[in-house]
Amino acid sequence: MQQLLTELKPGYASQAVYQVLERVFGEHFRTEQTQVKTIPNAELSAASLQSPDDLEATYREKRSEGYQGYVANVTETCDPENKLQLITKVQVASNNSDDDQFLAEALPNLKERSDLDECTPMAVTEGNSPTRCWLNKG
């Protein structure tokens, strides 16, 4: 594959399909002396290409399970006095993003749009369900 990349580079380096092939080779293979060898799964980066059909999908292990693709965080109203609960924010990022970062990014805007106080987390739970955070009202 390395020889193929070398031969195709002058005519195709600016083409997206060539760049994907080059990325696959660079992220999943290495040259040792004169041999090309696959990089073992344990050594692959979480940001390595997971699918040539989706260049932004990433890999993540959480609670000893592997996940490919993306991660999402949904913020919703959850006041028992409300007859209707609404989704107020949807965040989507690469699968190797940190859950805590979603919360940190969502809180300032949530405070602006609601009657929450300083948005101090009262409890954060994590189990087989998404991370949840309850906040004090002002």
Side-chain angles (χ1 to χ4, degrees), residues 103 107 111 116-124 133-137:
L103 183 59
L107 285 178
K111 183 183 172 202
L116 297 175
D117 66 3
E118 293 301 311
C119 297
T120 305
M122 294 178 64
V124 177
C133 180
W134 290 269
L135 305 165
N136 290 324
K137 281 190 173 183

Coordinates of all heavy atoms in Angstrom, one line a residue, residues 103 107 111 116-124 133-137:
L103 N -21.4 19.2 29.9 CA -22.0 19.9 31.1 C -21.4 21.3 31.2 O -22.1 22.3 31.3 CB -21.8 19.1 32.4 CG -22.5 19.7 33.6 CD1 -24.0 19.8 33.4 CD2 -22.2 18.8 34.8
L107 N -23.9 24.7 30.8 CA -24.3 25.4 32.0 C -24.4 26.9 31.8 O -25.4 27.5 32.2 CB -23.4 25.1 33.2 CG -23.6 23.7 33.8 CD1 -22.6 23.5 34.9 CD2 -25.0 23.5 34.3
K111 N -28.0 28.8 32.4 CA -28.2 29.8 33.4 C -28.9 31.1 32.8 O -29.8 31.7 33.4 CB -26.9 30.2 34.1 CG -27.1 31.2 35.2 CD -25.8 31.6 35.8 CE -26.0 32.7 36.8 NZ -24.8 33.5 37.0
L116 N -32.2 29.5 37.1 CA -31.2 28.7 37.9 C -30.3 29.7 38.6 O -30.0 30.8 38.0 CB -30.5 27.7 37.1 CG -31.3 26.6 36.4 CD1 -30.4 25.8 35.5 CD2 -32.0 25.8 37.5
D117 N -29.8 29.3 39.7 CA -28.8 30.2 40.4 C -27.5 30.0 39.7 O -27.4 30.0 38.5 CB -28.7 29.9 41.9 CG -28.2 28.5 42.2 OD1 -27.8 27.7 41.3 OD2 -28.2 28.1 43.4
E118 N -26.4 29.8 40.5 CA -25.1 29.8 39.9 C -24.8 28.5 39.2 O -23.7 28.2 38.9 CB -24.0 30.0 41.0 CG -24.0 31.4 41.6 CD -23.8 32.4 40.5 OE1 -22.8 32.3 39.8 OE2 -24.5 33.4 40.4
C119 N -25.8 27.7 39.0 CA -25.7 26.4 38.2 C -24.7 25.5 38.9 O -23.9 24.8 38.3 CB -25.3 26.7 36.8 SG -26.5 27.6 35.9
T120 N -24.8 25.4 40.2 CA -23.9 24.5 41.0 C -24.6 23.1 40.9 O -25.7 22.9 41.3 CB -23.8 24.9 42.4 OG1 -23.4 26.3 42.4 CG2 -22.9 24.0 43.2
P121 N -23.8 22.1 40.4 CA -24.4 20.8 40.4 C -24.7 20.2 41.8 O -23.8 20.4 42.7 CB -23.3 19.9 39.7 CG -22.4 20.9 39.0 CD -22.5 22.2 39.8
M122 N -25.9 19.8 42.0 CA -26.2 19.2 43.3 C -25.9 17.7 43.3 O -25.5 17.2 44.4 CB -27.7 19.4 43.5 CG -28.2 20.8 43.7 SD -29.9 21.0 43.9 CE -30.2 20.1 45.5
A123 N -26.1 17.0 42.3 CA -25.8 15.6 42.2 C -25.5 15.2 40.8 O -26.2 15.6 39.9 CB -27.0 14.8 42.8
V124 N -24.5 14.4 40.6 CA -24.3 13.9 39.3 C -24.2 12.4 39.4 O -23.5 11.8 40.3 CB -22.9 14.4 38.7 CG1 -22.6 13.7 37.4 CG2 -22.9 15.9 38.6
C133 N -27.5 15.7 35.8 CA -27.1 16.7 36.8 C -28.3 17.5 37.2 O -29.0 18.0 36.3 CB -26.0 17.6 36.2 SG -25.5 18.9 37.3
W134 N -28.6 17.6 38.5 CA -29.7 18.5 38.9 C -29.2 19.8 39.5 O -28.1 19.8 40.2 CB -30.5 17.7 40.0 CG -31.3 16.6 39.5 CD1 -32.5 16.6 39.0 CD2 -30.8 15.2 39.3 NE1 -32.9 15.3 38.6 CE2 -31.8 14.5 38.7 CE3 -29.6 14.6 39.5 CZ2 -31.7 13.2 38.4 CZ3 -29.4 13.3 39.2 CH2 -30.5 12.6 38.6
L135 N -29.9 20.9 39.2 CA -29.4 22.2 39.6 C -30.3 22.9 40.5 O -31.5 22.7 40.4 CB -29.1 23.0 38.4 CG -28.1 22.3 37.3 CD1 -28.2 23.0 36.0 CD2 -26.7 22.3 37.9
N136 N -29.8 23.8 41.4 CA -30.6 24.6 42.3 C -31.3 25.7 41.5 O -30.8 26.3 40.6 CB -29.8 25.3 43.3 CG -29.2 24.3 44.3 OD1 -29.8 23.4 44.7 ND2 -28.0 24.6 44.7
K137 N -32.6 25.9 41.8 CA -33.3 27.1 41.3 C -32.9 28.3 42.2 O -32.7 28.2 43.4 CB -34.8 26.9 41.3 CG -35.3 26.1 40.2 CD -36.8 26.1 40.2 CE -37.3 25.4 39.0 NZ -38.7 25.5 38.9

